[in-house]
Structures are given as C-alpha cells and as structure tokens.
Amino acid sequence: MGHILILYDSATGNIRQMAEHVASGAKSQNHDIRLKSIQQADKDDIIWCDGIAVGSPTNMGIVSWKMKKFWDELGDELWGKIDGKIGCAFSSSGGWGGGAEITCQSILTILINYGFLVFGVTDYVDKKMTLHYGSVVAGKPQSESERKSGNRLGKRLADWVSLLEK
Amino acid sequence: MGHILILYDSATGNIRQMAEHVASGAKSQNHDIRLKSIQQADKDDIIWCDGIAVGSPTNMGIVSWKMKKFWDELGDELWGKIDGKIGCAFSSSGGWGGGAEITCQSILTILINYGFLVFGVTDYVDKKMTLHYGSVVAGKPQSESERKSGNRLGKRLADWVSLLEK
Amino acid sequence: MGHILILYDSATGNIRQMAEHVASGAKSQNHDIRLKSIQQADKDDIIWCDGIAVGSPTNMGIVSWKMKKFWDELGDELWGKIDGKIGCAFSSSGGWGGGAEITCQSILTILINYGFLVFGVTDYVDKKMTLHYGSVVAGKPQSESERKSGNRLGKRLADWVSLLEK
Amino acid sequence: MGHILILYDSATGNIRQMAEHVASGAKSQNHDIRLKSIQQADKDDIIWCDGIAVGSPTNMGIVSWKMKKFWDELGDELWGKIDGKIGCAFSSSGGWGGGAEITCQSILTILINYGFLVFGVTDYVDKKMTLHYGSVVAGKPQSESERKSGNRLGKRLADWVSLLEK
C-alpha cells in the first residue's frame, strides 16, 4: 500500500473540486490518500507521500504564488532529500488557451527540481479531452469529461505508485 | 505599410484553415500579407516580413518536425541577421489538454532564438476562449469562437506591426 | 525618450548585481531608467515603463514566489490594460544546468500573459556565453562575460524601446 | 536486470560524446545497455527499453528536427502503447544561456507525451555544475565536470530503472 497526497491551492473552489476528482480516481487502488490544501499541508505530508498530484489555479500562465511559496519554503529542509517520488499536475484557467497546460508544466518543473519522476496521461477521456501534461479545465470543472480527466489523473498516479511499491 | 507572413505546416488541413483565419484577421490593417505553407515559403519570405504568425500541428507536444526543419535549415543563412521582427504562434491538438499551448510555446522559443519579439493575446474572444500564448484549437477549427481566436491573433499581429512601422 | 524599468527580486545580492549590469547597458540610449526591487516598485512603475527587464533568482526552476506575488497581485488592476510593452528576463541559478534558462522562460510567460512583446538576444558576448532567452549566470555574476551578458540585455532592451518610440 | 537505451542525434560529435558519458554512468548497475544514434535505432529499441536517455543538439532552443522526426514517425505504431517507461534528457548548446536547458525540457515534453515518467538530477557534480533538467554542456563536453554530469545522468537513470525492476 502506497501513500498518495493530493495537494492544492484553490482561490475560487475550482481547484478544490478538481482535487476531489483526482482523489476519487486515486482510490482505484488500495493506497492511503490525503487530500490537503497548502494551508493544511506541511513538510511531513511531502515526506510521507510516495506519489503527489499538485493543483494550482492558472495565474499569469504559471503556478500561483501561494503554491510556489509552499515549495520555496520547503527547500531548506527537504530539497535533495526526497528524490524518487512520483508527481503530476492539474490546473484550471479562465478559458481554453489561457495557460493551464503551461501552468501544469511549471508545476512539473518544480517537481522535477525536487527529484520527482513526473508524468502526464496519454489517454483521451472524451472525444476532445485529454491530459497529456496534467488535467486541465476551463473555469469550473463541471462537464462530465472534465470530471473524468481529474479521475484519470488520480487513477494513473495510483497505478504508477503501485508499480513502485510492488 | 508593413509585411506580414502567415507560415504554416498542415497535415490534415486544420492548420491550413487556422492560417486562413489568422490571415483574415491580419487584413484589418493595410499591410501586405502572404499566406504560405512551409513547402511554398523560403528564406526570402522570412527576410521580407516584418511580422510572422507560425502555425504547426501539435505533434508530441511540440512543433512538427517539418516546421522545425524549415527553421533549422534557415539557420546558417539567416540566424543573427533578422533580429527585431514580431512573431506569434498557433496550433491545433487532438483535444484540450493535448499540448497545443506547449506547442505554441515551442514555436515562440524558436522565434525568440531568431531574435523576434513574440507575443500572445490577453483578449477573450468568447466566454471560455482566449489565446494568451497563441491561438489554439482542439481538432478542426470549426466553432465560431475558434474562428474568432485565429482572427484576433492576426489582428493583433497587424496592430503590432503598425506600431513598429509608424 | 522612452521609459525603462529594471525590476528585480534579490535574496543574496546576486540578482541586484545583475540588475545593475542590465541598467548600465540600458543607459546606451537616451532613455529614462528606473532600477527597483519588488519592495520598492508598485503598479505606477509598471504603467510608466515602455520596456522592462525582470530579474529573479532561480528557485526550483521558476521565478521566485515573491516576484510571482508581485505580478499576481497587480492582476486585478493592470491585467488587460498594459498590452504592447517590451519585456525581457534575467536570472541566476546555483550552477549551470540549474534552471536559470527555464526561470527566464517562466518570467517571459508572465510578461506574455500581460500582453508584453518579449525577446532574447542572439549575440554571443564571449566565446561560450550568450543570452538567447535572457541573461543567465551561475551564482554570483563576477566574470567579465557575465557582466557583459547583463549589459547586452539592457542595451538590447534600450534598442527595442527606441524602435517603438521613434 | 533492466534495459537502458541511450539515444542520440549528433551533428558535430559533441552529443555522441555526451552519450558515451551517459552510457558509462549507466553501467553502474547491472543493466543491459544500448548506445544508438537515431540512424541506428528503430521502434524495437524503444519497445525494448525500460529507461531511456535522449540527447540532441540545441537547435534554436529545442530538439533537432531529426530527433523530432524520429519520434513523430514512431507515433502511429507506438504512441499510447509504451506508457510507464523512465526517461531523461541531455543537450549541448553553443554557449551558456544558449538554450540547452530549454532543449532538455522539449525532450522531456516529447517523452511525457509518450507516457514516460521523466526526471532530472538534484545533485551538483561540481561547485557550479548540476543537471536539474538533464545534463547540459556548452560546446564540446571536455571539462571534468561536464563528463561527470553525463555520468551522473546515466547513473541516476540506472538507479530508477532498478527501482522499477525490483
């Protein structure tokens, strides 16, 4: 049994909702799951987890300053000591073309910097909806395909954590 | 009067159609406009233009190899000699979350490398459709908002070329 | 005469020093120049400037949370109202391969998001030193080529601002 | 025992030399190793490998068109069928600040697109030399720290492949 952390920063509730979809998908395997905002999480959660999904609003095309602050401030204590975990990303922007993919990429950059192995998902969850660099939605995640996208990210994270834990 | 080049690589016709939308938007100002595929264009078109919009399918999250080949092979003759032009990007991926934004970013990277000043567009052209890093669509650009997105990119390119030409 | 802002976040003094090199290069043209930290700058500086160079330490491969906070918090008042300015980036990482280029790219992403036209510099300032996506150094900017890199970024920014101001 | 592929495109011999350094580091574990150029490799090598290191020259800030062609043309047969492998990147640019980091990122983007789990290395191999997003050098990889950088990338790749193979 592995440990999965869904860590999010949410301003409007959209990212919180995505985080729940991701958590729901992660339950497909028999892992221990924590769903926490950056206000609730601390370094022990990061140490604890084998796999992480990090969600942030798309703010000016990259991760929110609050999420960035969380990771910047962990650096002194954790950086260089937690290599080899698994990571992925999710984000919501105001509209398609608004930077959610690039925001996911900025999250993956942070995770790679910390020594994580990061991934996206090749699957299409609907005719025109995929999550190659993380789960992305425009605005509130209210469509069925947007829900599925979050679910699939969590499921795949659970799959890869199982692979490492075997 | 400035010179605008719409340069595209199209495999399925989707990018060709986006290119026409961009060209149509670029006509909002009184510039001379060329719409060319990478098969039709050569280095003289690049030298000629003051502003360029570059379109490529999203292939594995970055620019197509054919579009890359076009720019790689121009390097010996043009690189370091054409700084200060204006550039922007457009792309279509199989679905939302499929990498069209990141592909636009890879096009902007090439243009920055050549010394271009590159831009995106802050405007929303519809409730959930914008083009902050270039115009992006999922699949065939058939919705009204997708058409508007291409138009707006062309219009903004024309605006910035006018600014430099004044 | 144009207005140039050198805006920086500095933790150790390295970025402050780079900012001075950039400012020094920007004086090559007859522009009005402001050199300010994010503690000293506010939205009026952003409105005032025609061109900006933004410098941040490389923190986990992207812009520092403090610099991000500066831009995130300006969003409500300025976003969508300051399109068409010129922008560029500079950063220092702990070592080569440490993410300074990718940090510059994250700064350019923020600036593109705000509607800026962004650029890098094709020139080599020394045998093995260039600044294609912004000026980058490893650690403290103490070599002659690192000083030149900052100077050249400022000079090019001044050139492009002159072009727009003509 | 796992399977490791070092896949490279080399125009001047620099990337070939880096590839050898990476291969040398990968031998630290008891894996089966193939060192192949894109002219020598084919889809069976990609299917065969558990982990891959992909090296390309920095051409206009992203992966060379030849390396891109290799992956674009594999898409029809392999895409969506090889998820869950491990990947990393290396590149050489003409100078520091020339785009080698961003080129590594473009390689990681391709690998993520194919469903790979990608990583960088937190370690410093020398006072001012690291490889957070892949191994990078300026020009020919001739310094001791540049050799070590390639070695370390290969070693870490071997470590992660062992982890998955256990």
Side-chain angles (χ1 to χ4, degrees):
Chain A
M1 197 174 101
H3 296 170
I4 290 180
L5 175 64
I6 320 292
L7 177 73
Y8 66 93
D9 175 34
S10 189
T12 64
N14 291 345
I15 302 297
R16 160 88 201 178
Q17 201 170 327
M18 290 186 84
E20 285 165 4
H21 294 158
V22 176
S24 170
K27 286 174 189 159
S28 62
Q29 306 268 352
N30 193 27
H31 298 305
D32 197 355
I33 294 171
R34 291 183 186 171
L35 172 66
K36 293 202 176 186
S37 72
I38 47 168
Q39 285 78 30
Q40 298 164 324
D42 62 23
K43 80 178 163 87
D44 293 329
D45 294 300
I46 306 297
I47 294 168
W48 170 84
C49 76
D50 302 303
I52 194 169
V54 176
S56 163
T58 296
N59 292 157
M60 314 304 160
I62 58 175
V63 70
S64 71
W65 72 263
K66 287 178 187 170
M67 180 57 82
K68 185 71 197 327
K69 185 168 186 275
F70 180 88
W71 290 96
D72 280 3
E73 293 183 344
L74 282 181
D76 283 346
E77 288 186 280
L78 292 190
W79 191 83
K81 297 173 190 161
I82 55 171
D83 302 61
K85 297 172 186 284
I86 308 284
C88 59
F90 56 99
S91 188
S92 167
S93 56
W96 299 115
E101 286 181 3
I102 296 176
T103 297
C104 283
Q105 200 180 41
S106 74
I107 292 170
L108 298 183
T109 294
I110 295 171
L111 294 175
I112 289 174
N113 188 283
Y114 266 94
F116 284 58
L117 292 89
V118 307
F119 69 93
V121 178
T122 53
D123 313 12
Y124 276 72
V125 294
D126 206 341
K127 206 182 160 191
K128 282 196 175 180
M129 179 66 85
T130 184
L131 51 152
H132 290 354
Y133 304 93
S135 179
V136 291
V137 309
K140 196 173 154 63
Q142 51 199 358
S143 76
E144 180 63 9
S145 66
E146 289 172 328
R147 189 190 59 70
K148 279 185 189 169
S149 169
N151 284 173
R152 190 66 56 94
L153 186 73
K155 186 183 176 316
R156 190 57 39 88
L157 177 58
D159 292 344
W160 296 150
V161 167
S162 292
L163 199 68
L164 275 181
E165 295 298 305
K166 74 174 182 229
Chain B
M1 199 172 100
H3 296 170
I4 290 179
L5 176 64
I6 320 294
L7 177 73
Y8 66 93
D9 176 34
S10 189
T12 63
N14 291 345
I15 302 297
R16 159 88 200 178
Q17 201 169 328
M18 290 186 84
E20 286 166 3
H21 294 158
V22 176
S24 169
K27 287 175 187 157
S28 64
Q29 305 269 350
N30 193 28
H31 298 306
D32 197 356
I33 294 171
R34 291 182 187 172
L35 173 67
K36 293 201 177 187
S37 72
I38 48 168
Q39 285 77 30
Q40 299 164 324
D42 62 22
K43 81 178 163 84
D44 292 330
D45 294 301
I46 306 298
I47 293 169
W48 169 84
C49 77
D50 302 303
I52 194 168
V54 176
S56 163
T58 296
N59 291 158
M60 315 305 161
I62 58 173
V63 71
S64 71
W65 71 263
K66 288 179 187 170
M67 179 58 83
K68 185 71 197 329
K69 185 168 187 276
F70 180 89
W71 290 96
D72 280 4
E73 294 184 343
L74 282 181
D76 283 346
E77 288 186 280
L78 292 191
W79 191 83
K81 298 174 190 162
I82 55 170
D83 302 61
K85 297 172 185 285
I86 308 285
C88 60
F90 57 99
S91 189
S92 167
S93 56
W96 299 115
E101 286 181 3
I102 295 175
T103 298
C104 283
Q105 200 180 41
S106 75
I107 293 170
L108 299 184
T109 294
I110 295 171
L111 294 175
I112 289 174
N113 188 283
Y114 266 94
F116 284 57
L117 291 90
V118 308
F119 69 93
V121 178
T122 52
D123 313 12
Y124 277 72
V125 294
D126 206 341
K127 207 182 159 192
K128 282 196 178 181
M129 180 66 85
T130 184
L131 52 151
H132 289 355
Y133 305 94
S135 179
V136 291
V137 310
K140 195 173 153 64
Q142 51 199 359
S143 75
E144 179 64 9
S145 66
E146 289 172 328
R147 190 189 57 71
K148 279 186 190 168
S149 170
N151 285 173
R152 191 64 57 92
L153 186 72
K155 186 184 176 313
R156 191 56 39 88
L157 176 57
D159 292 344
W160 295 149
V161 167
S162 292
L163 199 67
L164 275 181
E165 295 297 307
K166 75 175 180 220
Chain C
M1 201 172 98
H3 296 171
I4 290 179
L5 176 65
I6 320 293
L7 177 73
Y8 66 93
D9 176 33
S10 189
T12 64
N14 290 346
I15 302 297
R16 159 87 200 178
Q17 201 170 326
M18 290 186 85
E20 285 165 4
H21 294 158
V22 176
S24 169
K27 286 174 189 158
S28 62
Q29 306 268 351
N30 193 28
H31 298 306
D32 197 356
I33 294 171
R34 290 183 187 171
L35 173 66
K36 294 201 176 187
S37 73
I38 47 169
Q39 286 77 30
Q40 297 164 324
D42 62 22
K43 80 177 163 85
D44 292 330
D45 294 299
I46 305 298
I47 295 168
W48 170 85
C49 76
D50 302 303
I52 194 168
V54 175
S56 163
T58 295
N59 292 158
M60 314 306 160
I62 59 172
V63 71
S64 71
W65 71 263
K66 287 178 187 171
M67 180 58 83
K68 186 70 196 330
K69 185 168 185 276
F70 181 88
W71 290 96
D72 280 4
E73 294 183 344
L74 282 182
D76 282 347
E77 288 186 279
L78 293 190
W79 192 82
K81 298 173 189 162
I82 56 170
D83 303 60
K85 297 172 187 284
I86 308 284
C88 60
F90 56 100
S91 188
S92 168
S93 56
W96 299 115
E101 285 181 3
I102 295 176
T103 297
C104 283
Q105 200 179 42
S106 74
I107 293 170
L108 298 184
T109 294
I110 296 171
L111 294 175
I112 288 174
N113 188 283
Y114 266 95
F116 285 56
L117 291 90
V118 308
F119 69 93
V121 177
T122 53
D123 314 11
Y124 277 72
V125 294
D126 206 341
K127 206 181 160 190
K128 281 195 176 181
M129 180 66 84
T130 184
L131 52 151
H132 290 354
Y133 305 95
S135 178
V136 292
V137 309
K140 195 174 154 63
Q142 50 200 0
S143 75
E144 180 63 10
S145 66
E146 289 171 329
R147 189 190 57 71
K148 279 186 189 168
S149 170
N151 284 173
R152 192 64 57 94
L153 187 72
K155 187 184 176 313
R156 192 56 39 90
L157 176 58
D159 292 344
W160 296 149
V161 167
S162 292
L163 200 67
L164 275 181
E165 295 298 306
K166 75 174 180 224
Chain D
M1 198 173 100
H3 296 171
I4 290 180
L5 175 64
I6 320 292
L7 177 73
Y8 65 92
D9 175 34
S10 188
T12 64
N14 291 344
I15 302 298
R16 160 88 200 178
Q17 201 170 327
M18 291 185 84
E20 285 165 4
H21 295 159
V22 176
S24 170
K27 286 173 189 158
S28 62
Q29 305 269 350
N30 193 28
H31 298 306
D32 196 355
I33 294 172
R34 292 184 186 170
L35 172 66
K36 293 202 176 186
S37 71
I38 47 168
Q39 285 77 31
Q40 298 164 324
D42 63 22
K43 81 179 162 86
D44 292 330
D45 295 299
I46 305 297
I47 293 169
W48 170 84
C49 77
D50 302 304
I52 194 169
V54 175
S56 163
T58 296
N59 291 158
M60 314 304 160
I62 58 174
V63 70
S64 71
W65 72 262
K66 288 178 187 170
M67 180 57 84
K68 186 70 197 329
K69 185 168 186 277
F70 180 88
W71 290 96
D72 280 4
E73 293 183 344
L74 282 181
D76 283 347
E77 287 186 281
L78 293 191
W79 191 83
K81 298 172 190 162
I82 56 170
D83 303 61
K85 297 171 186 286
I86 308 285
C88 61
F90 56 100
S91 189
S92 168
S93 56
W96 299 116
E101 286 180 3
I102 296 176
T103 298
C104 283
Q105 201 180 39
S106 74
I107 293 170
L108 299 183
T109 294
I110 295 171
L111 294 175
I112 289 174
N113 188 283
Y114 266 94
F116 284 57
L117 291 90
V118 307
F119 70 93
V121 178
T122 53
D123 312 13
Y124 276 72
V125 294
D126 206 341
K127 206 183 160 190
K128 281 195 177 182
M129 180 67 85
T130 185
L131 51 151
H132 290 353
Y133 304 93
S135 179
V136 291
V137 309
K140 195 174 155 63
Q142 52 199 358
S143 75
E144 180 62 10
S145 66
E146 289 172 328
R147 189 190 58 71
K148 278 185 191 169
S149 169
N151 285 173
R152 191 64 57 93
L153 187 73
K155 187 184 176 312
R156 191 57 39 88
L157 177 58
D159 291 344
W160 296 149
V161 167
S162 292
L163 199 67
L164 274 182
E165 296 297 306
K166 75 174 179 223

